[in-house]
């Protein structure tokens, strides 16, 4: 059975370099360009053109990261979701059941197919940049890594997620306990 879910793409976060490396107490890297464009170009098996993980062989199966705004808000309150540095921030999508599954996201220019991978675990930087306790609160809801299987353009706004698994948007903020793809 195939399911269509209405959702919203709220934000894209694209950066050519890492901002969080070294010791959190030393602070993030200075002058790391981070863009929040209105649309992104997705390239099959490579990721988002212009992002730090684009075409990086070690990240082929995890080139794109998704984050449910509901999960971020439950963990970090009103802190800016850019701080999580996840590529695609969505609202109205339960991400965990998509691990190990293929799904499509269509924001109007045609569907882009992804394969859900492992969870995007939070790092210790979250406490430094988003507030004390955010890292622990994000465990089990830090997002989903995914591999783009087709190319295309995604844009901000209303979108449709197509999946062969049932999702429940009311569980988008729930913590999960499994650590690996299904």
């Amino acid at each position: 059975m195939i399911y269509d879910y209405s959702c919203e793409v709220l934000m894209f976060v694209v950066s050519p370099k890492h901002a969080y490396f070294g010791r959190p107490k030393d602070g993030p890297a200075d002058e790391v360009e981070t863009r929040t464009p209105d649309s992104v170009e997705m390239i099959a098996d490579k990721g988002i053109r212009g992002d730090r993980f684009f075409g990086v062989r070690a990240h082929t199966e995890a080139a794109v990261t998704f984050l449910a705004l509901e999960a971020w808000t439950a963990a970090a309150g009103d802190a800016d979701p850019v701080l999580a540095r996840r590529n695609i921030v969505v609202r109205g999508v339960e991400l965990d059941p998509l691990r190990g599954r293929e799904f499509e996201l269509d924001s109007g220019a045609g569907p882009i197919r992804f394969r859900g991978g492992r969870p995007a675990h939070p790092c210790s930087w979250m406490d430094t940049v988003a507030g004390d306790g955010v890292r622990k609160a994000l465990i089990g809801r830090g997002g989903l890594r995914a591999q783009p299987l087709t190319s295309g353009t995604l844009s901000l706004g209303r979108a449709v997620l197509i999946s062969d698994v049932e999702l429940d948007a009311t569980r988008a903020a729930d913590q999960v306990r499994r650590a690996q793809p299904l």
Side-chain angles (χ1 to χ4, degrees), residues 60-76:
T60 300
E61 295 179 1
V64 177
T65 51
F66 286 83
L67 175 66
L69 181 66
E70 297 89 342
W72 175 257
T73 301

Side-chain angles (χ1 to χ4, degrees), residues 3-180:
Y3 303 94
D4 292 6
Y5 300 98
S6 179
C7 62
E8 189 173 3
V9 178
L10 299 171
M11 179 183 298
F12 299 111
V13 179
V14 180
S15 180
K17 295 181 182 178
H18 293 279
Y20 304 153
F21 54 86
R23 295 185 176 126
K25 68 181 177 107
D26 297 332
D30 291 333
E31 300 181 32
V32 172
E33 176 189 7
T34 300
R35 297 182 303 114
T36 55
D38 292 340
S39 64
V40 293
E41 182 183 2
M42 193 71 58
I43 305 298
D45 297 316
K46 292 190 177 197
I48 297 172
R49 188 177 300 282
D51 190 63
R52 64 199 176 280
F53 293 116
F54 182 80
V56 175
R57 182 172 266 190
H59 290 280
T60 300
E61 295 179 1
V64 177
T65 51
F66 286 83
L67 175 66
L69 181 66
E70 297 89 342
W72 175 257
T73 301
D78 61 359
D80 188 345
V82 167
L83 297 172
R85 299 187 56 82
R86 302 295 190 245
N87 298 121
I88 304 172
V89 180
V90 294
R91 179 177 19 228
V93 176
E94 179 189 19
L95 295 172
D96 186 62
L98 297 173
R99 288 190 289 149
R101 309 299 283 239
E102 289 188 13
F103 62 95
E104 294 180 349
L105 185 61
D106 187 346
S107 62
I112 297 176
R113 192 160 195 73
F114 294 90
R115 180 179 299 116
R118 64 187 187 274
H121 295 300
C123 67
S124 58
W125 280 93
M126 292 300 98
D127 286 343
T128 300
V129 299
D132 288 338
V134 172
R135 181 194 160 281
K136 184 175 182 180
L138 277 174
I139 292 173
R141 60 175 154 214
L144 175 73
R145 296 183 185 282
Q147 175 183 7
L149 301 175
T150 60
S151 299
T153 300
L154 289 175
S155 298
L156 297 180
R158 299 303 306 162
V160 175
L161 189 139
I162 302 159
S163 170
D164 67 349
V165 64
E166 287 189 73
L167 304 175
D168 182 351
T170 65
R171 294 194 303 241
D174 291 358
Q175 285 183 305
V176 296
R177 298 290 176 216
R178 294 166 297 202
Q180 298 303 319

